[in-house]
Amino acid sequence: EIVLTQSPATLSLSPGERATLSCRASQSVSSYLAWYQQKPGQAPRLLIYDASNRATGIPARFSGSGSGTDFTLTISSLEPEDFAVYYCQQRSNWPPVITFGQGTRLEIK
Amino acid sequence: EVQLVESGGGLVQPGGSLRLSCAASGFTFSSYWMSWVRQAPGKGLEWVANIKQDGSEKYYVDSVKGRFTISRDNAKNSLYLQMNSLRAEDTAVYYCARGGVAVAADYFDYWGQGTLVTVSS
């Protein structure tokens, strides 16, 4: 089973700053990695898929990079609405198992 | 507009059963893999199960195998999760999520708002 480890657990930043979130896989997932944003009381929202592709309607300040085992979600300049929990997710073709990281909480400093 | 609306959650005793439903609209339901994803209170996301477009393939996380059954009715644009032998650790918000069209394991581009299942005596 592929395990995804996200770091840091909590990130405290101010609006306007740059955020860098990390997701490390226990074995290679190629580029089959996504990022989601979840706000309190809401369902997750897909931000990035296949490591670096923004989902429909996602602002350009969100970008993803990486391949293999190390991935990064970058938010170039934080807006007030970006403070939330972020999850990475991998998909494996066989067995067709889907796993999530434990999440990174991005909070206002 | 794509919509996924879950129902059927509630309080159930350990060992009991519950059936969740998800009503889909705004897209061709029969063209997509569909999944259930859950989130225990204050915890992260856990994929539970998914089902192929025609229902011929189903996959489950190990912790629910033999207890949960995913199914769908394309004529009714509906997804279901039959949960038996429920345990306290099954307590969570259960989300219905749309997968892809080509592969079993994919990303989730639309989610419902979730339904809360509480397993407690």
Side-chain angles (χ1 to χ4, degrees):
Chain A
E1 176 190 339
I2 298 174
V3 176
L4 299 179
T5 302
Q6 293 186 239
S7 61
T10 303
L11 184 59
S12 299
L13 294 170
S14 301
E17 290 192 294
R18 181 184 187 91
T20 303
L21 287 67
S22 175
C23 177
R24 176 164 291 178
S26 59
Q27 63 190 80
S28 177
V29 297
S30 185
S31 295
Y32 298 137
L33 190 107
W35 291 93
Y36 298 83
Q37 176 193 68
Q38 187 179 33
K39 297 179 180 180
Q42 296 185 16
R45 177 173 71 145
L46 178 65
L47 299 175
I48 301 288
Y49 66 94
D50 285 344
S52 61
N53 296 297
R54 272 190 303 277
T56 303
I58 301 304
R61 64 181 181 272
F62 291 92
S63 63
S65 63
S67 65
T69 60
D70 290 298
F71 300 86
T72 301
L73 173 70
T74 301
I75 309 172
S76 58
S77 179
L78 285 165
E79 297 287 341
E81 61 267 27
D82 297 337
F83 292 92
V85 179
Y86 292 83
Y87 295 95
C88 57
Q89 175 232 321
Q90 68 84 24
R91 63 174 187 89
S92 59
N93 285 334
W94 192 261
V97 172
I98 298 161
T99 54
F100 292 89
Q102 83 279 16
T104 289
R105 180 178 304 277
L106 178 57
E107 64 177 26
I108 300 177
K109 188 174 182 180
Chain B
E1 179 194 6
V2 172
Q3 283 197 315
L4 298 170
V5 180
E6 302 93 339
S7 60
L11 175 64
V12 61
Q13 292 188 339
S17 298
L18 212 55
R19 188 195 196 207
L20 306 183
S21 299
C22 171
S25 60
F27 65 103
T28 305
F29 179 73
S30 59
S31 295
Y32 290 83
W33 283 82
M34 296 295 297
S35 279
W36 289 97
V37 178
R38 67 184 178 183
Q39 186 169 37
K43 302 299 183 182
L45 301 168
E46 181 183 40
W47 168 78
V48 174
N50 63 4
I51 184 169
K52 193 176 181 179
Q53 289 89 331
D54 61 359
S56 62
E57 293 181 37
K58 306 173 185 181
Y59 301 96
Y60 301 88
V61 69
D62 284 348
S63 59
V64 308
K65 284 179 182 176
R67 300 189 299 122
F68 289 12
T69 302
I70 189 172
S71 62
R72 65 192 296 163
D73 184 336
N74 288 339
K76 295 183 177 179
N77 290 336
S78 292
L79 177 71
Y80 306 101
L81 186 67
Q82 178 66 44
M83 304 185 295
N84 299 331
S85 303
L86 282 161
R87 306 166 180 167
E89 55 265 35
D90 296 318
T91 294
V93 173
Y94 284 73
Y95 293 102
C96 166
R98 189 178 85 168
V101 297
V103 296
D106 212 328
Y107 312 119
F108 305 117
D109 57 353
Y110 287 95
W111 299 63
Q113 282 306 299
T115 187
L116 176 62
V117 173
T118 303
V119 184
S120 176
S121 55

